[in-house]
Amino acid sequence: MAILPILCYPDPRLHKVAQPVAQVDERIQTLVKDMLETMYDAHGIGLAATQIDAHVRVVVIDVSEERNEPMTLINPEILWASEEKQLGEEGCLSVPGIYDGVERSTSVKVRALDENGKSREIEAEGMLAICIQHEMDHLMGKVFVEYLSPLKRNRIKTKLVKAQKQALKD
């Protein structure tokens, strides 16, 4: 297993649309293990393959308190999303140190393959539902800051570009 570098906004690779996984093989299973290790190392609760510059429809999530309930979603699709929405503060491993309000459906029903290629349906609410929607946005090339006003988005972009340039100097 390996800890992989996470792309940071405004990296243009974060806007690539992920391709469906044709077959859950050893390569995909290794990717899932590496993504879980990377997510746990970064203290995140979700990670999409797009964020590590692998443009396939793979997401890993663990919203458990003990960080011991990993979930893999390969080729996820939302079958149903509640009309009820909730504004919640979101952050992202690709947008370090930035948190802001995003409106999401409070519950969703998703169909996906697990790490063994077995199809399953998941009904999620609360934090898990939000996390699923957030990570699936990544697969479509969308970062949560795109829900914010252009002014806020530009401020975030400027702040992160400045921090990245400073990190290169150090």
Side-chain angles (χ1 to χ4, degrees):
M1 295 202 311
I3 295 172
L4 306 168
I6 298 172
L7 300 177
C8 281
Y9 183 80
D11 191 308
R13 295 172 291 180
L14 288 168
H15 299 295
K16 283 187 180 179
V17 175
Q19 298 303 305
V21 172
Q23 183 179 353
V24 179
D25 54 17
E26 193 175 317
R27 180 182 68 87
I28 294 296
Q29 290 171 333
T30 298
L31 176 66
V32 166
K33 289 175 187 163
D34 290 346
M35 286 175 63
L36 283 166
E37 187 173 354
T38 301
M39 178 188 73
Y40 288 131
D41 181 71
H43 306 289
I45 60 170
L47 186 68
T50 303
Q51 293 175 271
I52 53 149
D53 202 21
H55 301 282
V56 290
R57 294 185 58 78
V58 177
V59 165
V60 296
I61 293 173
D62 188 344
V63 296
S64 68
E65 289 285 325
E66 298 79 27
R67 316 293 289 132
N68 64 352
E69 296 176 26
M71 176 183 295
T72 302
L73 303 175
I74 299 171
N75 296 336
E77 58 179 314
I78 293 180
L79 302 176
W80 172 86
S82 66
E83 287 185 29
E84 183 183 346
K85 308 244 188 232
Q86 182 177 348
L87 184 67
E89 187 140 299
E90 289 188 25
C92 180
L93 295 175
S94 291
V95 191
I98 305 293
Y99 300 88
D100 213 315
V102 176
E103 189 174 77
R104 304 256 187 210
S105 292
T106 57
S107 52
V108 293
K109 184 175 184 178
V110 180
R111 179 186 304 129
L113 302 176
D114 67 13
E115 63 278 5
N116 298 310
K118 185 174 182 246
S119 181
R120 63 186 198 170
E121 289 185 7
I122 299 158
E123 291 187 28
E125 54 186 31
M127 179 63 77
L128 180 57
I130 290 164
C131 191
I132 288 170
Q133 292 169 82
H134 176 109
E135 299 308 330
M136 286 182 67
D137 275 353
H138 279 298
L139 299 179
M140 297 308 297
K142 189 169 186 174
V143 181
F144 90 95
V145 297
E146 292 170 51
Y147 288 101
L148 308 178
S149 72
L151 177 65
K152 275 188 178 180
R153 199 168 45 247
N154 284 333
R155 284 184 179 160
I156 291 166
K157 189 183 291 186
T158 301
K159 181 178 180 177
L160 291 175
V161 167
K162 186 177 177 181
Q164 289 166 14
K165 285 180 181 173
Q166 186 61 43
L168 290 173
K169 287 181 184 176
D170 293 343

